[in-house]
Amino acid sequence: MSTARHSSNAELLDPPRSCPDLDVRDLEKRTRLMRIVTRLIAVSDLGCREIARRAGLPAQKISDLLAGRLEHLSLDELRLVYHTIDPEGALNY
């Protein structure tokens, strides 16, 4: 059985390469910031729910962040969480 037919069908289901979620620079920035924010959460005295409340985000967003589900958070949301935990932090993202 040939697999050529299956791969051509898979291409129809893949997102277009111009999709904004596939922007490499944005993904790199979000990944770096996710690592920083995750460390800050780990050493913070604030609980996840309190961080979410202060940032004005659903608690699920913080859970997604800690679970590594980067696709669920925008760069702006990550910055917001960062500044919620460390208001005086000098973030250059």
Side-chain angles (χ1 to χ4, degrees), residues 10-86:
E11 290 173 5
L12 296 174
L13 300 175
D14 289 340
R17 297 204 187 272
S18 63
C19 180
D21 292 334
L22 298 177
D23 182 15
V24 176
R25 287 184 200 102
D26 179 64
L27 185 58
E28 287 174 347
K29 287 179 183 177
R30 289 190 296 149
T31 301
R32 283 190 211 119
L33 190 50
M34 179 192 73
R35 288 180 181 153
I36 292 167
V37 170
T38 302
R39 286 185 203 127
L40 285 174
I41 290 172
V43 299
S44 173
D45 292 334
L46 301 172
C48 293
R49 288 185 183 189
E50 181 62 18
I51 292 169
R53 186 189 66 75
R54 290 183 183 190
L57 295 172
Q60 184 62 43
K61 291 276 190 174
I62 306 300
S63 295
D64 289 341
L65 170 66
L66 295 174
R69 294 187 199 106
L70 188 56
E71 67 276 5
H72 293 214
L73 290 118
S74 69
L75 190 54
D76 289 336
E77 289 171 328
L78 287 166
R79 286 181 185 136
L80 181 62
V81 174
Y82 175 86
H83 288 296
T84 298
I85 299 168
D86 188 6

